[in-house]
Each structure stands twice: as structure tokens, then as C-alpha cells.
């Protein structure tokens, strides 16, 4: 990733366009794979509850048996395997410890299966700022992507529809501060990549013109980026003269004030996707607006009314054998609603992400609003394995402090690379101070926020 990224940062626009279109050609193949997976799984969308429980029970038993046998940490529980014929998987699960990023980060090797192969490595920090590396089976990773794609299918996607993306795609180098084209168009897969990092009043005007010209059927993005773009477009008198099927969002909570502004500007319904960074579970909003869990990727305690819900939610993978996360707290609060029946006809379990996380923007002296996910992106795309927790705080008009909870040696190892990457994401407009700390401010909800804005706090509710 880092090599590709540095080539990318350095290469001229033409090369980046070629690279993006080549990737797009690969995407066409990926869509086919995802569609095949989704077609095969479509029967699970309307299974009666009893059969859903039996399906999850069977998958859980398989993953637990594998963990007892192959994963060092779970070897100590292998005697429980004798009970597979007489007890439910949920019953056995109750006897295993709850885990978390912090718990696993103490000895990650102990959580890797000895017989793992065909793996892919995925890094996440989530919104709590604790970096975490997960090793995934390639098949499990592909399934996760397919399930994320299902939300777009539910939203009425047809082959040939254009999708504009406003997520963390690094398509324009950060050294260009006000690019004339803050986007790249990929023709094979019909994607318009917009640069989340370069949103400002000027680029928003050009993005608005591009959208009116290209008329994508979907606009997807982080809620904060969509809100920033919508705000700028509204100020310039942008109007819609084509129909968007849906605005799609993920990665951050959609606060009601954001939703209202985005709907007003783009004149379309908004559909969310909830996916944990570890690709452990996912849920998509159906056309009725209900979040349906995917069922086949992970089991969340309480989802069928089975096991008591844990806060933050505890989830067990049903598919990833390389590093099977078991009773793993994903850091988010999730409300399951086992009794709720959705008028869309899908029987997939219903959940709602509880919006307890509120994150601020960082606002630079020139008025750029930098979305939290853009900052997270700069943070995790470094090799920072041993930092327990980080927090990025805007302290003054032009001052950001990055707090890292780690030991002296680790701090010294990463301080420079992180500082450079943070300065870039703020377009050299902010002074960035790196601070080593033993504690990170925790909010009332018991979680630390990754991004805080002490300076603009009151103006940025
Ligand atoms: Zn539904």
C-alpha cells in the first residue's frame, strides 16, 4: 500500500487516470463475483427465523471447532468441543471470554490460526483511534465486499448506472491544494471518484458542474463529506436537474441535521450501510429504511433475542478462519430488534446503529473543512502497529495536536511520519504537534473520540 501510495502521490494526472481505469476494469470482474455470491445467498434474505437460527448455530459450531483446534488462545477451551452434539453453539459461546482490540493487541499472534493460508491483511482504527490489524481469508474478505455491494443492489442499481464516490479515495495528490479537476472518472466500471480531501468552495462549484453533466444515479460518501459538499453547493445555488436514485453513506453516523441538508440539496432518499471496520458484521438499509443484518457474516449477541446484548456490541465471525474474532467488541453500540418485522419482506434480523459517536470537523484557517474519515485515513495508512490509542484535537485556529498513547520508543519511531502525513491532510495550513500521553480524554459515553475540535467546538454542534 505505501509503495503504491507514494507512486500515486508522485505520478502525473494521466498516469493516475490510467491506473484508476485499470482498477475499474478489475472492478467489473469483482462485480461479477459479488453478484454471484449475492445470488447464491439470496435465499437467506427471506428464511424463516427458525432456519436462520439453525444456520447461524451450524456456522458458529464450525468456527468454534476450528478455533479450539487451530488458534493458540482458544486451545485452552478445547474441552468444550465435546459438547457440540448436546448444546447449542450460543450456549458454548457464553463460556468464552469477551475480547476487544486492546485485548488482542497484547498478543496478536495467539489469535492467528496455525493453518491459515490465502489471507489478506486489513488495517482499521475505527473511530476510537486504536489501530488494529486483522488477517482475513480472501473468501471472507470478498464476502464482506459483496454484502456491502448488496445495499446498492437493494437501492435499485441497474447495470450501467454511474456512481459518484466521495469517500477516502486518494485520487488527487495532497500537494495540489486547489485542483481544477478534483476527480477522476473511471469508465469501465462507471465510477466518478471525487476527492474528499480537496473540498472547498471553489472545488465544490466544479464538482457540482461535473455532477450535472455526468448525471450519476448514485452519490455515495461519508456523511461528513456529503454534508460539507451539500453546504457548499447550497451556498452557490446548485439545483438538481436529474434524478438520483439514492444518496448512499457509510463509515460515520448520519445525524438528522446532516440528513436534512443532504436530502434538500440532492433531492433523493438516503440509504446507509453499517459495516464494522473488521468486516465482522454488516447491515444495510432496505428501501423501507430498516437496517437489516447480513446474517451470514457474523453473529451479534442479542440478534435473535439469543444471549444478552453486550455494550459495546460483541460479535463472532461466522466465516473468517485465519483470525477468528470471537465475542469481539467492535466498539459501537448496536441496538438489535429481534421482534421487528419489516414491510419489505426480508426476514433478515433488524438492528439500528446507536448514534453515540459524534465527531467534529477540523477547520483550517482558509476555511477548508476536513472530514473525520479523511483524518482517519491519513492516520491508519501508516505502519503504526504499536500505538494503543490516538486522538486528533484542533486546539486553535491553526494548531492541531495529535495525542498518541504509547511508549517513548514507539512514539519516536512514528512521530515524524505521522506528523508529515497529518500536515499533508491539512494542506500545510495547520501546525501539527505530536504529543505522547498516558491518557486520552474520554467522553461521557465512555469512549474517546478520535477527532475533537476544542477551538470551533461551540460553532460545530
Ligand atoms: Zn426491510
Amino acid at each position: 500500500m505505501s509503495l503504491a501510495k507514494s507512486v500515486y502521490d508522485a505520478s502525473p494526472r494521466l498516469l493516475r487516470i490510467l491506473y484508476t481505469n485499470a482498477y475499474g476494469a478489475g472492478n467489473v470482474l469483482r462485480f461479477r463475483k459479488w453478484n454471484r455470491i449475492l445470488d447464491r445467498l439470496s435465499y437467506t434474505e427471506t428464511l424463516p427465523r427458525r432456519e436462520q437460527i439453525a444456520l447461524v448455530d451450524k456456522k458458529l459450531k464450525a468456527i468454534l471447532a476450528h478455533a479450539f483446534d487451530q488458534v493458540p488462545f482458544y486451545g485452552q477451551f478445547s474441552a468444550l468441543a465435546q459438547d457440540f452434539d448436546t448444546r447449542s453453539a450460543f450456549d458454548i459461546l457464553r463460556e468464552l471470554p469477551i475480547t476487544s482490540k486492546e485485548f488482542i493487541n497484547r498478543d496478536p499472534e495467539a489469535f492467528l490460526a496455525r493453518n491459515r493460508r490465502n489471507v489478506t491483511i486489513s488495517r482499521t482504527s475505527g473511530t476510537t483511534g486504536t489501530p488494529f490489524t486483522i488477517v482475513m481469508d480472501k473468501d471472507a474478505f470478498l464476502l464482506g465486499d459483496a454484502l456491502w455491494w448488496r445495499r446498492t443492489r437493494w437501492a435499485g442499481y441497474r447495470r450501467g448506472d454511474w456512481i459518484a464516490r466521495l469517500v477516502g479515495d486518494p485520487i488527487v495528490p495532497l500537494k495540489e491544494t486547489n485542483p481544477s479537476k478534483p476527480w477522476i472518472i473511471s469508465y469501465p466500471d462507471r465510477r466518478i471518484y471525487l476527492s474528499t480531501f480537496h473540498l472547498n468552495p471553489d472545488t465544490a462549484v466544479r464538482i457540482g458542474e461535473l455532477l450535472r453533466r455526468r448525471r450519476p444515479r448514485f452519490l455515495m460518501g461519508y456523511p461528513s463529506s456529503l454534508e460539507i459538499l451539500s453546504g457548499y453547493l447550497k451556498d452557490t445555488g446548485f439545483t438538481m436537474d436529474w434524478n438520483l436514485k439514492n444518496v448512499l453513506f457509510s463509515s460515520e453516523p448520519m445525524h438528522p441535521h446532516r440528513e436534512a441538508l443532504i436530502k434538500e440539496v440532492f433531492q433523493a432518499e438516503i440509504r446507509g450501510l453499517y459495516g464494522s471496520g473488521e468486516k465482522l458484521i454488516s447491515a444495510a438499509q432496505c428501501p423501507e429504511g430498516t437496517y437489516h443484518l447480513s446474517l451470514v457474516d457474523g453473529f451479534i449477541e442479542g440478534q435473535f433475542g439469543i444471549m444478552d446484548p453486550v455494550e459495546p456490541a460483541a460479535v463472532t465471525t461466522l466465516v473468517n478462519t485465519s483470525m477468528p474474532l470471537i465475542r469481539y467488541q467492535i466498539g459501537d453500540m448496536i441496538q438489535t430488534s429481534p421482534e421487528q418485522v419489516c414491510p419489505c419482506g426480508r426476514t433478515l434480523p433488524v438492528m439500528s446503529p446507536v448514534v453515540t459517536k459524534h465527531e467534529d470537523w477540523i477547520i483550517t484557517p482558509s476555511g477548508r473543512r476536513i472530514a473525520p474519515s479523511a483524518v482517519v485515513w491519513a492516520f491508519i495508512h501508516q505502519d503504526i502497529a504499536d500505538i494503543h490509542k490516538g486522538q486528533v484535537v484542533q486546539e486553535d485556529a491553526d494548531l492541531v495536536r495529535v495525542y498518541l498513547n504509547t511508549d517513548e520508543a514507539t512514539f519516536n519511531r512514528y512521530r515524524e511520519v505521522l506528523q508529515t502525513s497529518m500536515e499533508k491532510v491539512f494542506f500545510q495550513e495547520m501546525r501539527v504537534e505530536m504529543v505522547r500521553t498516558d491518557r486520552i480524554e474520554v467522553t461521557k459515553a465512555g469512549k474517546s473520540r478520535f477527532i475533537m475540535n476544542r477551538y470551533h467546538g461551540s460553532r460545530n454542534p
Side-chain angles (χ1 to χ4, degrees):
M1 180 64 206
S2 52
L3 177 66
K5 191 178 161 272
S6 54
V7 169
Y8 209 76
D9 268 353
S11 64
R13 181 169 172 83
L14 181 63
L15 272 180
R16 280 181 278 119
I17 291 173
L18 288 174
Y19 176 88
T20 308
N21 277 265
Y23 183 78
N27 256 349
V28 174
L29 299 176
R30 261 167 237 129
F31 294 161
R32 271 186 219 146
K33 280 190 195 165
W34 297 344
N35 284 331
R36 271 203 299 274
I37 292 172
L38 294 177
D39 290 344
R40 204 168 61 228
L41 287 174
S42 65
Y43 81 97
T44 60
E45 291 184 33
T46 51
L47 270 186
R49 181 53 46 96
R50 196 170 22 86
E51 291 176 37
Q52 290 178 343
I53 294 172
L55 179 74
V56 171
D57 183 75
K58 193 174 133 203
K59 283 175 179 283
L60 266 179
K61 277 182 176 159
I63 210 86
L64 293 179
H66 161 79
F68 295 157
D69 192 41
Q70 293 290 335
V71 179
F73 177 80
Y74 289 103
Q76 58 185 306
F77 302 101
S78 59
L80 288 168
Q82 293 159 9
D83 300 349
F84 279 140
D85 293 336
T86 50
R87 300 167 75 191
S88 78
F90 311 104
D91 234 15
I92 294 171
L93 200 55
R94 270 194 199 96
E95 301 201 18
L96 301 176
I98 301 239
T99 62
S100 64
K101 281 178 199 173
E102 290 79 6
F103 187 84
I104 292 171
N105 277 347
R106 276 180 233 148
D107 185 12
E109 284 289 316
F111 291 86
L112 292 175
R114 283 181 286 263
N115 65 347
R116 66 187 182 276
R117 58 193 171 90
N118 235 347
V119 300
T120 183
I121 308 283
S122 168
R123 265 190 299 231
T124 168
S125 89
T127 39
T128 54
T130 305
F132 188 65
T133 300
I134 167 144
V135 179
M136 288 191 77
D137 307 359
K138 285 203 167 122
D139 285 350
F141 194 83
L142 190 66
L143 172 72
D145 281 346
L147 292 171
W148 286 21
W149 173 244
R150 185 157 72 180
R151 182 260 315 250
T152 315
R153 295 220 313 192
W154 286 359
Y157 172 87
R158 293 283 167 270
R159 238 177 96 178
D161 285 350
W162 281 85
I163 301 178
R165 298 165 54 95
L166 190 61
V167 291
D169 300 309
I171 42 148
V172 178
L174 291 169
K175 61 179 189 266
E176 290 184 34
T177 54
N178 199 3
S180 61
K181 290 181 178 170
W183 59 75
I184 284 185
I185 296 173
S186 172
Y187 291 89
D189 56 340
R190 303 201 165 206
R191 289 285 193 279
I192 300 165
Y193 291 87
L194 305 170
S195 179
T196 303
F197 305 95
H198 291 83
L199 288 176
N200 66 40
D202 294 343
T203 55
V205 170
R206 297 195 283 276
I207 287 173
E209 286 164 0
L210 175 80
L211 292 176
R212 285 173 59 114
R213 220 162 46 233
R214 287 271 155 199
R215 304 176 162 232
R217 304 311 302 269
F218 295 95
L219 170 62
M220 65 182 286
Y222 303 136
S224 54
S225 312
L226 291 167
E227 181 188 9
I228 294 168
L229 177 64
S230 301
Y232 287 140
L233 287 177
K234 191 181 172 188
D235 290 346
T236 62
F238 172 88
T239 53
M240 289 292 293
D241 59 0
W242 82 102
N243 281 328
L244 267 183
K245 286 184 182 171
N246 274 158
V247 174
L248 307 173
F249 73 92
S250 57
S251 302
E252 297 166 3
M254 178 61 81
H255 301 290
H257 70 276
R258 284 182 170 161
E259 182 163 356
L261 174 67
I262 297 165
K263 273 175 143 168
E264 181 195 336
V265 170
F266 290 106
Q267 300 285 308
E269 287 299 315
I270 299 186
R271 294 285 169 255
L273 176 85
Y274 173 81
S276 69
E278 301 84 357
K279 275 202 161 70
L280 259 184
I281 52 158
S282 54
Q285 253 182 324
C286 72
E288 298 289 336
T290 307
Y291 277 92
H292 290 283
L293 284 162
S294 298
L295 185 75
V296 293
D297 49 358
F299 167 72
I300 167 165
E301 297 183 17
Q303 87 176 38
F304 300 122
I306 295 179
M307 302 182 72
D308 293 327
V310 176
E311 286 193 353
V315 178
T316 300
T317 182
L318 301 178
V319 287
N320 188 27
T321 59
S322 310
M323 185 177 179
L325 298 180
I326 293 170
R327 305 200 76 190
Y328 171 87
Q329 290 193 290
I330 49 181
D332 293 329
M333 310 282 206
I334 287 176
Q335 175 95 48
T336 51
S337 313
E339 305 303 328
Q340 195 179 326
V341 176
C342 181
C344 79
R346 293 177 183 87
T347 56
L348 293 172
V350 172
M351 60 83 95
S352 26
V354 178
V355 181
T356 51
K357 293 183 284 194
H358 175 83
E359 286 174 292
D360 294 323
W361 300 326
I362 303 288
I363 306 177
T364 70
S366 76
R368 287 177 191 274
R369 296 167 203 170
I370 313 287
S373 299
V375 181
V376 170
W377 188 90
F379 194 78
I380 65 170
H381 282 78
Q382 310 297 334
D383 289 315
I384 41 169
D386 338 310
I387 292 173
H388 307 305
K389 226 170 196 7
Q391 190 173 46
V392 178
V393 182
Q394 177 158 12
E395 305 274 13
D396 205 340
D398 65 346
L399 175 63
V400 161
R401 287 208 180 97
V402 178
Y403 294 91
L404 299 178
N405 180 345
T406 189
D407 59 68
E408 193 80 44
T410 312
F411 179 75
N412 288 333
R413 190 153 71 243
Y414 297 122
R415 96 184 272 172
E416 211 167 311
V417 59
L418 263 177
Q419 176 157 357
T420 309
S421 133
M422 286 290 156
E423 283 168 353
K424 266 197 196 165
V425 93
F426 302 128
F427 294 92
Q428 318 292 342
E429 291 184 32
M430 308 294 289
R431 289 180 291 132
V432 175
E433 282 180 18
M434 307 296 294
V435 183
R436 193 175 80 80
T437 174
D438 292 326
R439 56 184 299 271
I440 299 242
E441 198 167 308
V442 173
T443 63
K444 268 181 267 165
K447 295 176 71 178
S448 65
R449 293 195 313 210
F450 181 56
I451 311 286
M452 280 185 77
N453 196 322
R454 289 208 184 102
Y455 179 70
H456 294 95
S458 56
R459 277 181 277 154
N460 187 17

